[in-house]
Amino acid sequence: MFTGIITGQGHILDIHDAGDRHLTIGCDWDCATIDIGASIACSGICLTVVARDAHSFKVEASSETISVTTLGNWHKGDKINLERALRMGDELGGHIVSGHVDGLAEVLSITPDGDSHIVSLSVPADLAMFVAPKGSVTLDGVSLTVNNVTDDSFTINVIAHTWDVTQFGVLTVGQKMNMEIDMLARYVARLNSLNKEA
């Protein structure tokens, strides 16, 4: 489990395909302290650490992960958002995030607004019912509050701090982002569907 509060920036050191896709990710953490088998959210994708040294860690991604996330478009040198898994007693500063990507949102526009940026994104049709004003959404691993919602899009307001310490600072129109809906919204929708069937 994660919170959607980014705790580091990583950069892709190496990618190679041998069965699954193998990635080596460098960062400023003391990677020697990361347990083998630990989960790390990499731009919102929960990946398992299979090896590490002092300054990098290695993960593997299956064809399923590649097909439903932006990971298939990552290249050597790319930067990504990182968050280590939540531990008991940690502050829950964002919202509960699983690191399981539900779909891809596409950036429609980026508008400066004071020190912040208003970002409009398309929402995949099968996820639209889960996005609500003042609800939560995770984009590339970042916990955000939804502002306005239409049938096929929504907006978020990204404050300067978040813009500066995540990959939002290099966001471009047309870019796809890993999107995870709010876990609470998922279960409320499931309960509603069961009640309608009863």
Side-chain angles (χ1 to χ4, degrees):
M1 303 302 290
F2 306 93
T3 66
I5 303 299
I6 301 305
T7 55
Q9 293 285 293
H11 53 281
I12 307 298
L13 298 175
D14 185 57
I15 300 176
H16 72 276
D17 295 313
D20 287 337
R21 179 156 294 177
H22 302 257
L23 301 98
T24 303
I25 300 169
C27 64
D28 291 336
W29 295 339
D30 178 4
C31 295
T33 65
I34 301 173
D35 292 334
I36 301 299
S39 295
I40 296 180
C42 300
S43 282
I45 308 165
C46 180
L47 297 171
T48 301
V49 175
V50 297
R52 81 282 197 259
D53 58 26
H55 304 292
S56 67
F57 60 93
K58 295 184 179 184
V59 294
E60 297 173 351
S62 68
S63 58
E64 167 66 14
T65 299
I66 293 167
S67 70
V68 298
T69 69
T70 61
L71 190 148
N73 295 321
W74 293 358
H75 302 285
K76 185 175 177 179
D78 285 353
K79 292 186 177 180
I80 58 174
N81 297 320
L82 297 176
E83 181 187 359
R84 291 182 69 170
L86 184 64
R87 294 175 296 184
M88 293 301 289
D90 283 352
E91 180 179 337
L92 186 60
H95 70 283
I96 297 174
V97 175
S98 69
H100 301 157
V101 175
D102 293 300
L104 299 179
E106 182 176 337
V107 178
L108 300 174
S109 65
I110 303 168
T111 307
D113 183 35
D115 294 330
S116 301
H117 289 81
I118 297 172
V119 182
S120 176
L121 302 107
S122 65
V123 60
D126 59 333
L127 300 181
M129 66 180 288
F130 299 103
V131 181
K134 306 308 174 194
S136 296
V137 67
T138 307
L139 294 168
D140 277 1
V142 182
S143 172
L144 296 154
T145 300
V146 175
N147 290 340
N148 299 309
V149 177
T150 68
D151 289 342
D152 58 1
S153 68
F154 64 98
T155 62
I156 54 170
N157 189 309
V158 185
I159 63 170
H161 172 78
T162 303
W163 196 262
D164 293 340
V165 301
T166 70
Q167 289 305 300
F168 270 95
V170 294
L171 203 62
T172 58
V173 172
Q175 182 174 329
K176 300 278 180 75
M177 303 189 80
N178 295 314
M179 177 178 171
E180 180 181 336
I181 59 172
D182 183 25
M183 195 173 297
L184 180 60
R186 182 192 319 273
Y187 286 108
V188 167
R190 177 66 177 149
L191 286 171
N192 283 340
S193 70
L194 290 174
N195 286 337
K196 288 177 183 176
E197 292 171 8

